């Protein structure tokens, strides 16, 4: 996975704060459009029953969002699970999902003990069950929370970007009336942040002064968008764009980083062009070589690993945190993948990236977007 340019968390908070005044209040992982399937443990084991005692030596169940459920990052999932397994001397069942709601409900109900969730997905889970709490996030290049961010993009197909140019840069005025693809309404970078950006931008105009995020959920002749799709994952949303089903798509940079390469410009800058790799795996195998242009870039707080405290004891949580934030995990090249490595991963290693401890309050800038 290629390195990405990171920005300070204070910038993220400021960016999110600017959206608050105008802010109102999924689908298949590897296939565009909407749907849901039940999760299946990768190791073939059954999901742990909700009444399992925290001190039990039964398998620990870890749920993953659709974006991280692909076969191409299986080694990364297993490496992260391996760190937790060694810390607790318990085997891990990895539950991959095709729908955000399944992953959220798994950790809320206790069907899963641990999960990797986006910021908004965590907030949704925590609202339903306050005992779902974050324990670590991947840091920025500094090795701290100061730059622990990734990026939310609005993208258009190559050749259509001129419609969104404004002076020397880009503007989103012309997305109104277009066919738009979000990820899931539980996605931070695939819905919460882009929808807040859109509402903030357009509500300053008389024609859209009453626009809310809810108005963006459905398309129609009198709606803001002519049609609205939910890809179910960032991969699915990108394929909705590249296959011609959508004119504009919301995606995040690292979520599709294993399938694309920078073709022109700078990483995470409006106007940059990305190309789907010739050897891209599903679901990008149907759009190999296709190019898209980024017209909007917004920093977003990194995604947490969370636990359900109804299922995992405080002593075990402490062991998990110690192991994940340790040097061995930071140096594991299947977890933090070096530049130009052949192995595909979830997190990249450019300088000092590692897991760092995090608490619920760190996600308040994202939580505020719903108020």
């Amino acid at each position: 996975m290629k390195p990405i340019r990171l920005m300070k968390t204070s910038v993220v908070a400021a960016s999110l704060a600017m959206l608050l005044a105008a802010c109102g209040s999924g689908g298949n992982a590897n296939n565009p459009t909407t749907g849901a399937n039940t999760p299946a443990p990768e190791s073939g084991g059954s999901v742990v029953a909700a009444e399992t005692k925290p001190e039990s030596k039964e398998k620990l169940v870890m749920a993953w969002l659709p974006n991280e459920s692909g076969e191409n990052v299986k080694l990364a999932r297993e490496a992260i699970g391996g760190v937790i397994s060694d810390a607790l001397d318990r085997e891990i069942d990895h539950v991959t999902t095709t729908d955000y709601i399944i992953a959220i409900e798994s950790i809320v109900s206790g069907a899963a003990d641990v999960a990797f969730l986006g910021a908004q997905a965590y907030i949704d889970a925590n609202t339903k069950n306050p005992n779902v709490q974050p324990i670590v996030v991947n840091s920025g290049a500094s090795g701290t929370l100061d730059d622990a961010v990734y990026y939310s993009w609005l993208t258009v197909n190559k050749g259509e970007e001129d419609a969104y140019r404004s002076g020397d840069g880009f503007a989103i005025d012309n997305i109104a009336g277009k066919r738009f693809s979000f990820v899931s309404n539980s996605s931070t970078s695939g819905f919460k942040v882009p929808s807040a950006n859109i509402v903030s931008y357009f509500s300053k105009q008389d024609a859209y002064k009453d626009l809310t995020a809810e108005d963006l959920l459905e398309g129609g002749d009198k709606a803001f968008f002519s049609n609205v799709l939910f890809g179910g994952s960032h991969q699915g949303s990108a394929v909705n764009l590249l296959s011609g089903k959508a004119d504009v798509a919301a995606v995040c940079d690292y979520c599709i980083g294993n399938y694309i390469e920078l073709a022109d410009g700078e990483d995470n800058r409006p106007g940059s062009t990305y190309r789907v790799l010739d050897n891209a795996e599903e679901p990008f195998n149907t759009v190999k070589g296709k190019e898209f242009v980024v017209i909007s870039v917004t920093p977003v707080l990194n995604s947490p690993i969370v636990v359900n405290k109804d299922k995992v004891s405080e002593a075990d949580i402490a062991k998990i945190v110690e192991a994940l934030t340790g040097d061995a995990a930071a140096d594991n090249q299947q977890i933090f993948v070096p530049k130009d490595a052949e192995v595909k991963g979830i997190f990249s290693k450019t300088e000092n990236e590692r897991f760092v401890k995090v608490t619920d309050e760190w996600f308040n800038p994202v939580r505020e977007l719903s108020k």
Side-chain angles (χ1 to χ4, degrees):
M1 182 183 296
K2 67 179 81 60
I4 61 173
R5 180 180 292 102
L6 297 175
M7 300 173 63
K8 295 290 185 181
T9 303
S10 57
V11 175
V12 182
S15 299
L16 296 176
M18 292 174 63
L19 307 177
L20 301 183
C23 182
S25 40
N28 289 333
N30 292 325
N31 298 294
T33 68
T34 303
N37 293 304
T38 55
E42 288 179 355
S43 64
S46 59
V47 175
V48 177
E51 65 268 22
T52 301
K53 297 293 190 301
E55 64 272 15
S56 170
K57 290 297 182 180
E58 291 187 51
K59 290 182 179 180
L60 196 80
V61 178
M62 186 168 187
W64 297 86
L65 287 176
N67 314 306
E68 290 76 39
S69 289
E71 185 69 18
N72 62 338
V73 293
K74 182 178 180 179
L75 290 178
R77 290 193 301 268
E78 291 178 343
I80 293 169
V83 173
I84 298 173
S85 176
D86 290 345
L88 301 184
D89 190 25
R90 293 173 65 180
E91 293 184 34
I92 302 290
D93 265 348
H94 294 280
V95 177
T96 57
T97 65
T98 56
D99 189 279
Y100 272 66
I101 298 303
I102 292 174
I104 293 168
E105 291 301 328
S106 293
I107 191 69
V108 167
S109 68
D113 307 286
V114 185
F116 180 66
L117 301 179
Q120 185 59 45
Y122 158 65
I123 290 166
D124 290 347
N126 173 259
T127 299
K128 294 181 176 183
N129 183 350
N131 279 330
V132 175
Q133 289 287 317
I135 54 172
V136 300
V137 298
N138 57 302
S139 76
S142 70
T144 71
L145 289 175
D146 289 344
D147 52 358
V149 298
Y150 64 106
Y151 295 91
S152 173
W153 292 346
L154 293 188
T155 62
V156 299
N157 281 305
K158 181 67 175 177
E160 298 177 4
E161 67 271 21
D162 286 348
Y164 305 92
R165 291 190 185 277
S166 177
D168 294 333
F170 289 82
I172 63 174
D173 298 78
N174 289 334
I175 68 172
K178 295 295 193 296
R179 299 172 300 161
F180 197 97
S181 179
F182 289 112
V183 174
S184 162
N185 57 6
S186 292
S187 171
T188 312
S189 55
F191 179 75
K192 185 62 67 172
V193 167
S195 65
N197 271 328
I198 291 167
V199 170
S200 178
Y201 186 86
F202 281 93
S203 62
K204 296 180 177 66
Q205 304 174 24
D206 287 341
Y208 300 107
K209 62 182 179 181
D210 297 322
L211 186 68
T212 68
E214 286 74 17
D215 296 328
L216 307 180
L217 292 171
E218 296 183 1
D221 292 339
K222 296 183 179 180
F224 183 83
F225 293 123
S226 61
N227 189 32
V228 175
L229 300 173
F230 285 88
S233 67
H234 289 266
Q235 294 93 326
S237 186
V239 171
N240 278 340
L241 172 75
L242 294 167
S243 64
K245 294 179 180 179
D247 304 305
V248 187
V251 298
C252 89
D253 63 327
Y254 88 87
C255 299
I256 63 171
N258 287 325
Y259 307 89
I260 62 174
E261 61 185 352
L262 182 66
D264 184 59
E266 297 181 58
D267 272 323
N268 294 307
R269 289 293 181 267
S272 295
T273 299
Y274 291 84
R275 179 187 302 115
V276 177
L277 295 170
D278 291 336
N279 62 347
E281 300 176 6
E282 292 184 356
F284 288 86
N285 58 313
T286 61
V287 290
K288 294 178 181 179
K290 292 274 191 176
E291 295 184 341
F292 64 87
V293 177
V294 178
I295 62 169
S296 174
V297 178
T298 304
V300 182
L301 296 176
N302 276 352
S303 302
I305 292 176
V306 308
V307 298
N308 184 327
K309 288 188 171 183
D310 294 327
K311 299 295 301 300
V312 186
S313 70
E314 291 290 348
D316 281 352
I317 291 172
K319 292 177 183 177
I320 295 171
V321 171
E322 181 179 9
L324 287 175
T325 58
D327 290 341
D331 294 338
N332 189 318
Q333 294 188 3
Q334 290 183 334
I335 298 176
F336 293 97
V337 181
K339 181 181 178 181
D340 299 328
E342 291 186 7
V343 64
K344 303 294 184 183
I346 298 171
F347 310 115
S348 60
K349 186 80 164 187
T350 63
E351 295 179 30
N352 299 310
E353 286 87 351
R354 62 190 302 123
F355 287 120
V356 290
K357 188 175 181 179
V358 74
T359 60
D360 173 79
E361 292 77 12
W362 193 68
F363 297 95
N364 280 343
V366 176
R367 185 177 279 116
E368 290 294 320
L369 289 175
S370 296
K371 293 184 178 180

